[in-house]
Amino acid sequence: MDEPTTFPLPPADDPTLVLLTVEEAARRLRIGRTTCYALIRTGELESVPVGRLRRVPADAPAAYVTRLRTAQRAA
């Protein structure tokens, strides 16, 4: 039998990443880049500055979804 072929994960799905680009965070949330920047601007999605760059902590997209779900249940 052949050994199963494993392919490397695309960079956005790398579980070892600590910070994501805004584009990677948007891809994880399945939203557009502009919408992701709007969420960052309003503080709904956590981000941190790294020099002149803006990065999103890898756990921030999941935390955002959790807050959305909690707010929906409370309504």
Side-chain angles (χ1 to χ4, degrees):
M1 293 202 95
D2 293 331
E3 289 292 319
T5 304
T6 57
F7 298 99
L9 292 171
D13 296 333
D14 183 351
T16 63
L17 291 178
V18 176
L19 296 173
L20 307 171
T21 65
V22 174
E23 290 79 8
E24 290 168 342
R27 200 172 312 124
R28 286 191 181 188
L29 290 168
R30 303 294 195 261
I31 61 175
R33 186 177 70 96
T34 304
T35 303
C36 195
Y37 273 109
L39 291 173
I40 289 169
R41 195 175 315 109
T42 61
E44 294 178 75
L45 181 63
E46 180 186 2
S47 71
V48 295
V50 179
R52 293 178 51 113
L53 305 173
R54 179 62 53 181
R55 294 293 184 250
V56 177
D59 62 340
Y64 169 70
V65 171
T66 299
R67 284 192 304 278
L68 286 177
R69 294 176 78 182
T70 301
Q72 182 184 18
R73 287 187 194 125

